[in-house]
């Protein structure tokens, strides 16, 4: 919910309401007149002059003046009465401030790391993005389910079982098998592992690894509504049924079964069943996505690793071939994470081999820093995570800075002698106005971040809000002044929005530090 809704309604839904870069150009600027001009067949500045008078009459005492600028922009200068009123309106909304009115039922599948090893930092980025996006879409008004797809079938899983048996026998894993101390640990945990069938060991090994994965995810504040097994689709015949369902799109060549993805928008056809009779992972993916489609979601969102880029077109093609509506399957490709220390790529894990686990990262920098830093860039951009900065407890560390601002406000409110009261009038300092305008950006920021699948925007927003509060606190004494009631109200609303923003990122908002 948005206290700026009245102002947006006044200028029209299609028009932009923006904050000018220079304070001399007003509190808000709009292109409404420039949009109207072609319709009314009049010069933009003429339309702007008429619209300015219309807005003055509609907004009344909320607007001090409206200037026509440039080719027809309108610059709005709001009154102090308006600033006081919108702070009160935001406070009255409580937990609903910024909440959207979306109405979609959405399934988000994310992480889905192979259950043949511990959670890595690469998977950690997917966990942070997927979980934060789910929180964001829910706050934007949608119903969201979270799902993890367990790749527990096929050649790699059998190799996992063979690797466990080899370690149990004191041997090296087979070529292409799994290294790492965790395989030796599994061999010791599973009774009679040296004498068991590799397929049986694979099932038992996957079960134990998934227990560890769930524990790591819980530690990282990520929860799933469902864990979906790839193996289950072979056991209940789902894969065979979906290949039959594809009908004329499937054909045989050189002993293999193919899908005509070239006729569905992909560059070439795709193998579903190899000539050996072994299914490809694409066959499983099609069956899995048909299961998603059949569950009646309005939208399915997958968050995939960078190595899945070539899989996008054919997945969209098969989705639509099965009756999925175009645009209702979204495939977000996530780029890599580089851990940096002293300007160099860091290697943290001594026990696990060549990869860094999420548990290693949490042990080093903590959950809050790990989630915030992994969310600072768009999913389609490689991220360099500065471990030294993430460890710092200083204003240079953005997550520390935001959390400290929240704790500082909690302290101010605790020691205040008066109650927050947005109705207390008084002249506003420029830093107060800037903080109010930054707070009022929150509802639109939620809307944009949700629509663009961009939780990283919230890391930028909450840092800017914390900085705006610091400037306000520097310039405006809060406690023991005639303006105390209003400034406490403004501080309270800032605290709420910082807490909400951090929660949407999966980061805690401490009351003291």
């Amino acid at each position: 919910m948005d206290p700026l809704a009245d102002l947006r309604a006044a200028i029209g839904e299609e028009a932009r309401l923006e904050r000018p870069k220079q304070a001399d150009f007003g509190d808000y600027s709009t292109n409404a007149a420039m949009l109207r001009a072609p319709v009314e067949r009049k010069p933009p500045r003429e339309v702007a002059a008429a619209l300015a008078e219309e807005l003055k009459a509609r907004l009344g005492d909320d607007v001090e003046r409206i200037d026509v600028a440039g080719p027809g922009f309108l610059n709005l200068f709001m009154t102090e009465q308006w600033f006081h009123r919108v702070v009160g309106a935001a406070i009255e909304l409580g937990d609903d401030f910024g909440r959207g009115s979306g109405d979609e039922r959405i399934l988000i599948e994310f992480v889905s790391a192979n259950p043949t090893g511990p959670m890595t930092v690469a998977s950690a980025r997917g966990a942070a993005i997927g979980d934060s996006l789910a929180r964001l879409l829910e706050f934007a008004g949608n119903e969201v389910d979270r799902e993890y797809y367990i790749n527990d079938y096929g050649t790699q899983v059998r190799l996992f079982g063979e690797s466990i048996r080899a370690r149990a026998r004191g041997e090296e894993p087979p070529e292409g098998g799994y290294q790492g101390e965790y395989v030796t640990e599994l061999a010791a945990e599973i009774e009679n592992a040296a004498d068991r069938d590799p397929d049986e060991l694979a099932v038992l090994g996957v079960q134990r690894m998934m227990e560890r994965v769930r524990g790591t995810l819980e530690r990282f504040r990520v929860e799933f509504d469902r864990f979906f097994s790839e193996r289950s689709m072979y056991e209940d015949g789902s894969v065979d049924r979906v290949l039959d369902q594809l009908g004329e799109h499937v054909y045989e060549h050189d002993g293999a079964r193919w899908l005509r993805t070239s006729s569905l928008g992909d560059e070439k056809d795709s193998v579903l069943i190899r000539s050996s009779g072994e299914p490809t992972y694409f066959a499983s993916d099609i069956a899995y996505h048909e299961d998603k489609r059949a569950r009646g979601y309005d939208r399915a969102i997958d968050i995939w690793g960078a190595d899945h880029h070539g899989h996008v077109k054919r997945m969209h093609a098969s989705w639509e071939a099965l009756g999925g509506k175009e645009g209702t399957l979204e495939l977000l490709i996530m780029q890599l994470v580089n851990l940096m220390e002293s300007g160099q790529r860091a290697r943290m894990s001594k026990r696990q081999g060549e990869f860094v686990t999420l548990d290693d990262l949490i042990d080093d920098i903590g959950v809050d820093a790990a989630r915030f830093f992994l969310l600072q860039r768009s999913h389609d951009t490689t991220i360099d995570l500065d471990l030294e900065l993430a460890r710092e407890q200083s204003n240079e560390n953005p997550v520390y800075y935001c959390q400290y601002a929240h704790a500082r406000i909690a302290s101010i409110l605790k020691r205040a002698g008066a109650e927050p009261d947005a109705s207390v009038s008084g002249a506003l300092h420029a830093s107060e106005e800037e903080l109010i305008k930054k707070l009022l950006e929150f509802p639109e920021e939620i809307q944009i971040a949700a629509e663009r699948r961009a939780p990283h925007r919230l890391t930028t927003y909450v840092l800017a809000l914390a900085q705006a509060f610091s400037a306000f606190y520097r310039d405006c004494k809060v406690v023991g002044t005639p303006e105390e009631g209003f400034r406490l109200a403004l501080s309270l609303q800032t605290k709420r929005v910082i807490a909400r923003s951090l929660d949407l990122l999966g980061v805690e908002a401490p009351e003291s530090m």
Side-chain angles (χ1 to χ4, degrees):
M1 297 185 180
D2 184 1
L4 283 177
D6 291 344
L7 191 54
R8 296 186 196 282
I11 66 171
E13 292 183 2
E14 298 301 319
R16 294 195 308 270
L17 185 67
E18 299 178 329
R19 291 182 55 192
K21 293 182 179 179
Q22 298 182 36
D24 293 346
F25 294 165
D27 298 307
Y28 294 98
S29 177
T30 178
N31 65 340
M34 299 172 72
L35 295 179
R36 285 192 186 187
V39 178
E40 297 184 11
R41 297 182 179 180
K42 295 178 180 178
R45 286 185 64 88
E46 181 181 333
V47 175
L51 181 56
E53 295 303 315
E54 180 185 320
L55 289 175
K56 287 175 187 176
R58 181 167 180 172
L59 298 173
D61 293 338
D62 281 346
V63 66
E64 182 178 302
R65 77 175 197 268
I66 302 176
D67 294 344
V68 177
F73 287 102
L74 290 178
N75 293 334
L76 286 71
F77 295 78
M78 311 308 292
T79 62
E80 290 189 342
Q81 171 185 300
W82 179 83
F83 279 101
H84 282 82
R85 186 173 63 77
V86 291
V87 171
I91 289 175
E92 286 183 15
L93 286 171
D95 289 341
D96 286 331
F97 177 63
R99 191 181 299 278
S101 56
D103 59 357
E104 286 193 322
R105 183 167 172 256
I106 301 172
L107 176 65
I108 301 184
E109 181 227 324
F110 60 106
V111 183
S112 300
N114 287 338
T116 52
M119 281 275 294
T120 66
V121 169
S123 297
R125 188 180 189 190
I129 292 172
D131 180 67
S132 185
L133 179 57
R135 294 174 187 230
L136 181 59
L137 289 170
E138 282 180 330
F139 190 62
N142 304 287
E143 178 186 342
V144 180
D145 286 338
R146 300 155 171 84
E147 191 157 284
Y148 186 119
Y149 179 58
I150 307 173
N151 299 102
D152 55 355
Y153 187 87
T155 302
Q156 291 304 310
V157 174
R158 180 175 176 81
L159 271 173
F160 184 47
E162 292 174 353
S163 301
I164 295 172
R165 186 172 68 173
R167 287 305 190 194
R169 293 176 173 179
E171 301 168 356
E172 288 296 310
E175 184 178 353
Y178 291 86
Q179 306 288 333
E181 185 62 28
Y182 74 95
V183 181
T184 303
E185 292 173 0
L186 289 173
E189 290 174 15
I190 299 172
E191 188 176 355
N192 299 324
D195 301 321
R196 289 180 182 264
D197 178 80
D199 289 327
E200 182 185 9
L201 283 174
V203 171
L204 294 173
V206 164
Q207 289 174 352
R208 282 165 172 75
M209 286 311 306
M210 285 306 302
E211 288 173 5
R212 297 184 186 189
V213 166
R214 290 182 193 223
T216 300
L217 288 169
E218 183 178 343
R219 188 184 180 198
F220 202 48
R221 304 182 191 134
V222 176
E223 295 182 358
F224 285 91
D225 298 295
R226 185 180 186 187
F227 287 82
F228 191 107
S229 165
E230 178 184 9
R231 181 178 294 273
S232 70
M233 296 187 296
Y234 286 94
E235 292 175 344
D236 67 13
S238 295
V239 175
D240 289 335
R241 283 196 299 273
V242 80
L243 298 190
D244 291 339
Q245 192 174 334
L246 286 166
E248 63 182 16
H249 296 295
V250 176
Y251 67 94
E252 291 194 13
H253 178 68
D254 290 340
R257 295 180 72 185
W258 297 70
L259 181 65
R260 297 183 196 276
T261 43
S262 61
S263 65
L264 298 168
D266 200 4
E267 285 83 3
K268 58 183 181 179
D269 291 347
S270 304
V271 179
L272 297 172
I273 307 294
R274 297 183 179 92
S275 57
S276 63
E278 182 184 5
T280 64
Y281 73 87
F282 183 42
S284 304
D285 275 359
I286 294 174
Y288 175 43
H289 282 78
E290 170 57 10
D291 185 276
K292 290 183 184 183
R293 193 192 66 80
R295 282 185 257 161
Y297 289 98
D298 298 307
R299 188 172 305 278
I301 301 174
D302 296 358
I303 299 176
W304 288 351
D307 58 341
H308 284 65
H309 189 273
H311 192 43
V312 171
K313 283 188 177 180
R314 62 181 185 174
M315 195 69 253
H316 276 134
S318 59
W319 174 266
E320 292 171 27
L322 289 165
K325 185 178 178 182
E326 183 179 0
T328 57
L329 173 64
E330 298 180 24
L331 305 175
L332 308 183
I333 302 298
M334 180 185 62
Q335 294 303 315
L336 302 176
V337 179
N338 296 320
L339 298 179
M340 309 298 292
E341 192 155 22
S342 300
Q344 303 293 322
R345 288 193 183 185
R347 289 188 178 277
M348 294 166 46
S349 178
K350 296 181 176 63
R351 188 175 70 89
Q352 302 293 354
E354 293 301 315
F355 53 84
V356 180
T357 70
L358 174 53
D359 284 309
D360 290 331
L361 185 66
I362 294 173
D363 290 342
D364 187 15
I365 65 175
V367 175
D368 290 332
R371 288 197 58 137
F372 195 97
F373 277 73
L374 286 169
L375 286 166
Q376 277 193 292
R377 299 288 181 269
S378 173
H379 66 270
D380 55 5
T381 303
T382 299
I383 191 167
D384 291 336
L385 197 164
D386 187 336
L387 294 170
E388 290 175 306
L389 179 60
R391 295 184 196 113
E392 280 191 24
Q393 294 191 353
S394 73
N395 287 342
E396 297 302 314
N397 181 338
V399 66
Y400 181 88
Y401 188 95
C402 296
Q403 289 179 316
Y404 185 76
H406 183 272
R408 172 184 274 176
I409 299 172
S411 175
I412 294 169
L413 294 172
K414 186 175 181 179
R415 72 170 188 267
E419 291 295 317
D421 184 358
S423 67
V424 174
S425 61
L428 294 176
H429 190 280
S431 294
E432 278 181 287
E433 291 189 2
E434 178 63 26
L435 178 56
I436 294 168
K437 286 185 278 190
K438 181 56 67 175
L439 283 168
L440 294 178
E441 291 176 14
F442 182 64
E444 186 176 33
E445 197 62 47
I446 291 295
Q447 179 185 350
I448 293 173
E451 289 176 351
R452 298 181 184 177
R453 316 306 188 220
H456 69 278
R457 292 180 63 100
L458 287 180
T459 65
T460 302
Y461 172 78
V462 71
L463 179 58
L465 178 60
Q467 290 168 337
F469 178 81
S470 294
F472 157 73
Y473 190 67
R474 177 197 65 211
D475 298 336
C476 304
K477 184 179 178 181
V478 177
V479 179
T481 65
E483 302 85 6
E484 179 176 350
F486 178 77
R487 289 177 177 173
L488 286 174
L490 182 54
S491 298
L492 173 62
Q493 186 61 18
T494 304
K495 177 175 180 284
R496 287 177 175 177
V497 175
I498 289 176
R500 172 67 76 181
S501 299
L502 291 177
D503 179 68
L504 292 172
L505 296 169
V507 175
E508 291 186 339
E511 294 287 315
S512 62
M513 290 179 70

